[in-house]
């Protein structure tokens, strides 16, 4: 490959990383960072607000099952280009309307567009980076992408002091479209691979993966562990800190941004610690399930005895660190499955991850409304009993997570 082509492809990958940044921003910011604002402006109850996050997760999760096939067939650049257009349309549509149906449609489009970038980026980075530097390149891509989650809370809330949230999202949508235009211009400068018509959707790999009991146990553990932490970060965490812990919006947003930083860093830290411990990954996962249970139990105790402490913010960060296990889960799947189905196993795990976040988002909305909320200065505040129902559900899930983790085998 000529230097010119290497330079152009590097820019394309950088723009793809920016797409991934905006996708993570959208995933975390709505509804998490603007829960109260949306509730006030739309005059709706909690289930309608949490559904903004749930719809994104459902669409994102479902697409994980087919995106790898599309990337293999059409190539990463084509899939990213289509994803960028869809992401831009969804991002722009949300702030320019107050119609709930259109807003839900926009979240579906954002979820669909966002789901295209991760696997596309991996494929195209692999094509230009040596095996020696591949892991480093992926970690840089992931770190830049995860910073979108950091900006989705404290910086976003801070910017809302100077501009309306709708105007901020419109500006970001314009930036996405600018990236799409530049991306399309650069695509004309390189030779894209031919469409691989031999790649087709096959059900056999999915059946082989789900047939293994070890895989089912691992997916059950992983989706609970990931789902609870990310449901807190992207949907309910900021609102809970404001309502129960009674801390300001800006401080709650800072906590959620710190959670995003912890999530980005601990994917590397957990892998490093596990390596020091002679790569006993399954033992590490079992310990993680215990940490989840203890963390959720402590939050429930605080709710029962009305202990309104900032220590809960620390527990949130512990949960986030404890859920950043992809660097361990993916190697376990590759070690316990044949090469021909290992990628399918990873895609199913990603599907389970985001489906669980979506399901929890839907359930949380209804659980919050079981007990009548209190209205303070036009802001809806949910009671301790409502939050105890939510974290009681999380506690049951953490027990199920421990049960499934203990059934994991140490023998690969």
């Amino acid at each position: 490959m000529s230097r010119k082509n290497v330079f152009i492809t590097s820019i394309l990958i950088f723009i793809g990383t920016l797409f991934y940044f905006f996708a993570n921003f959208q995933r975390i910011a709505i509804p998490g960072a603007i829960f109260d604002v949306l509730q006030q402006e739309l005059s709706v109850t909690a289930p309608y607000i949490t559904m903004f996050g749930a719809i994104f997760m459902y669409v994102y999760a479902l697409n994980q099952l087919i995106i790898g096939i599309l990337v293999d067939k059409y190539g990463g650049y084509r899939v990213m280009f289509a994803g960028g257009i869809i992401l831009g349309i969804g991002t722009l549509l949300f702030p320019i309307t107050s119609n709930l149906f259109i807003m839900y449609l926009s979240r579906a489009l954002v979820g669909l567009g966002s789901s295209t970038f991760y696997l596309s980026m991996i494929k195209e980075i692999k094509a230009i980076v040596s095996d020696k530097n591949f892991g480093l390149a992926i970690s840089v891509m992931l770190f830049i992408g995860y910073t979108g989650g950091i900006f989705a809370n404290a910086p976003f809330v801070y910017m809302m002091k100077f501009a309306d949230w709708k105007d901020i999202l419109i500006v970001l949508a314009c930036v996405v479209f600018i990236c799409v235009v530049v991306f399309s211009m650069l695509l004309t400068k390189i030779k894209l691979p031919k469409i691989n018509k031999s790649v087709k959707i096959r059900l056999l790999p999915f059946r082989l993966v789900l047939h293994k009991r070890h895989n089912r146990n691992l997916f059950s553990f992983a989706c609970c562990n990931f789902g609870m932490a990310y449901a807190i970060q992207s949907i309910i965490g900021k609102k809970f800190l404001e309502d129960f812990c009674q801390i300001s919006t800006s401080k709650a947003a800072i906590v959620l941004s710190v959670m995003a930083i912890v999530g980005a860093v601990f994917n590397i830290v957990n892998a490093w610690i596990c390596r020091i411990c002679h790569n006993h990954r399954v033992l590490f996962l079992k310990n993680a399930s215990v940490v989840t249970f203890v963390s959720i139990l402590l939050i429930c105790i605080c709710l029962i005895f009305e202990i309104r402490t900032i220590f809960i913010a620390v527990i949130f960060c512990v949960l986030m660190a404890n859920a950043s296990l992809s660097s361990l889960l993916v190697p376990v799947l590759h070690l316990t499955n044949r090469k021909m189905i290992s990628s399918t196993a990873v895609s199913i795990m990603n599907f389970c991850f985001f489906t669980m976040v979506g399901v929890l988002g839907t359930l949380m909305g209804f659980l919050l409304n079981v007990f009548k909320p209190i209205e303070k200065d036009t802001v809806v505040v949910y009671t301790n009993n409502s939050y105890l129902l939510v974290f009681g559900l999380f506690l049951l899930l953490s027990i199920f997570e421990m049960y499934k983790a203990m059934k994991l085998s140490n023998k690969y």
Side-chain angles (χ1 to χ4, degrees):
M1 186 182 292
S2 67
R3 288 186 178 181
K4 180 181 177 181
N5 280 348
V6 170
F7 177 72
I8 293 174
T9 53
S10 297
I11 297 176
L12 285 169
I13 288 173
F14 174 72
I15 296 174
T17 304
L18 291 181
F19 286 145
Y20 192 49
F21 169 91
F22 289 118
N24 278 284
F25 179 93
Q26 287 286 325
R27 176 171 62 86
I28 302 300
I30 303 169
I34 53 175
F35 195 107
D36 282 335
V37 176
L38 288 171
Q39 197 162 35
Q40 290 173 39
E41 294 191 9
L42 298 174
S43 299
V44 294
T45 55
Y48 292 96
I49 302 301
T50 58
M51 190 57 67
F52 288 128
I55 288 174
F56 175 100
M57 297 300 175
Y58 289 139
V59 175
Y60 190 102
L62 186 62
N63 213 34
Q64 293 305 302
L65 298 177
I66 61 172
I67 192 64
I69 297 169
L70 294 176
V71 169
D72 287 339
K73 185 168 186 173
Y74 296 103
Y77 291 133
R78 290 190 182 96
V79 174
M80 271 193 284
F81 178 57
I85 295 172
I86 297 170
L87 174 66
I89 293 171
T91 303
L92 181 61
L93 202 57
F94 189 85
I96 64 174
T97 182
S98 296
N99 182 287
L100 268 177
F101 175 79
I102 297 177
M103 294 177 85
Y104 287 149
L105 174 62
S106 76
R107 294 301 292 165
L109 290 174
V110 171
L112 179 61
S114 298
S115 66
T116 63
F117 304 123
Y118 178 72
L119 291 177
S120 297
M121 291 287 293
I122 289 177
K123 182 176 180 65
E124 298 304 339
I125 289 174
K126 181 68 175 177
I128 67 166
V129 175
S130 65
D131 290 339
K132 180 181 178 181
N133 297 319
F134 181 60
L136 177 62
I138 292 295
S139 65
V140 171
M141 181 269 287
L142 288 174
F143 183 80
I144 295 173
Y146 285 156
T147 57
I150 299 170
F151 278 86
N153 277 291
F156 183 33
V157 170
Y158 180 76
M159 285 189 290
M160 285 192 287
K161 294 181 180 180
F162 307 99
D164 186 75
W165 67 273
K166 293 183 177 181
D167 294 332
I168 297 171
L169 292 184
I170 290 171
V171 169
L172 293 179
C174 292
V175 175
V176 172
F177 279 119
I178 291 172
C179 290
V180 169
V181 171
V182 176
F183 197 89
S184 66
M185 293 170 62
L186 291 173
L187 281 182
T188 63
K189 306 294 183 181
I190 63 171
K191 185 178 180 181
L192 294 172
K194 293 182 179 179
I195 297 174
N196 188 350
K197 296 181 180 180
S198 64
V199 176
K200 297 179 181 179
I201 297 176
R202 296 168 59 240
L203 294 179
L204 179 60
F206 293 93
R207 288 203 299 266
L208 291 174
V209 170
L210 294 175
H211 180 72
K212 293 190 66 172
R213 181 178 297 176
H214 184 273
N215 287 339
R216 297 197 300 271
N217 288 332
L218 187 67
F219 295 154
S220 299
F221 154 78
C223 74
C224 292
N225 181 268
F226 178 95
M228 287 185 284
Y230 277 80
I232 289 171
Q233 188 200 25
S234 62
I235 300 175
I236 201 178
K238 180 173 173 288
K239 179 66 174 167
F240 174 72
L241 291 172
E242 292 169 4
D243 289 356
F244 178 71
C245 297
Q246 298 178 347
I247 66 177
S248 66
T249 296
S250 57
K251 289 182 179 179
I254 290 173
V255 172
L256 273 294
S257 287
V258 171
M259 281 184 71
I261 295 171
V262 169
V265 171
F266 265 79
N267 252 315
I268 300 172
V269 171
N270 285 334
W272 177 70
I273 294 173
C274 190
R275 185 177 180 181
I276 291 176
C277 299
H278 308 290
N279 282 328
H280 293 308
R281 297 183 181 93
V282 170
L283 179 61
F284 198 98
L285 298 180
K286 291 180 179 181
N287 291 335
S289 71
V290 176
V291 172
T292 300
F293 170 74
V294 173
S295 299
I296 299 297
L297 180 62
L298 288 174
I299 295 175
C300 288
I301 291 172
C302 289
L303 281 164
I304 292 170
F305 294 101
E306 296 191 16
I307 304 172
R308 304 178 189 275
T309 171
I310 194 64
F311 178 69
I312 290 176
V314 177
I315 297 176
F316 280 4
C317 291
V318 170
L319 283 169
M320 197 65 186
N322 197 52
S324 301
L325 297 174
S326 292
S327 55
L328 306 181
L329 292 168
V330 173
V332 169
L333 285 174
H334 278 271
L335 285 166
T336 55
N337 291 276
R338 285 177 287 172
K339 186 176 181 180
M340 65 172 287
I341 61 172
S342 58
S343 294
T344 302
V346 174
S347 70
I348 293 175
M349 183 178 68
N350 285 339
F351 167 78
C352 293
F353 278 168
F354 294 100
T355 298
M356 177 58 80
V357 180
V359 169
L360 289 178
T362 303
L363 292 175
M364 285 189 298
F366 288 104
L367 290 175
L368 287 176
N369 258 18
V370 170
F371 295 97
K372 187 177 180 180
I374 302 167
E375 191 167 316
K376 293 183 179 179
D377 300 325
T378 72
V379 176
V380 175
V381 176
Y382 295 97
T383 65
N384 293 5
N385 289 332
S386 295
Y387 284 115
L388 189 57
L389 284 177
V390 171
F391 284 96
L393 171 63
F394 284 8
L395 187 63
L396 292 176
L397 283 175
S398 69
I399 294 171
F400 176 73
E401 175 189 327
M402 270 199 303
Y403 170 72
K404 287 297 183 179
M406 298 310 164
K407 292 175 75 69
L408 294 175
S409 173
N410 286 301
K411 295 179 181 179
Y412 296 150

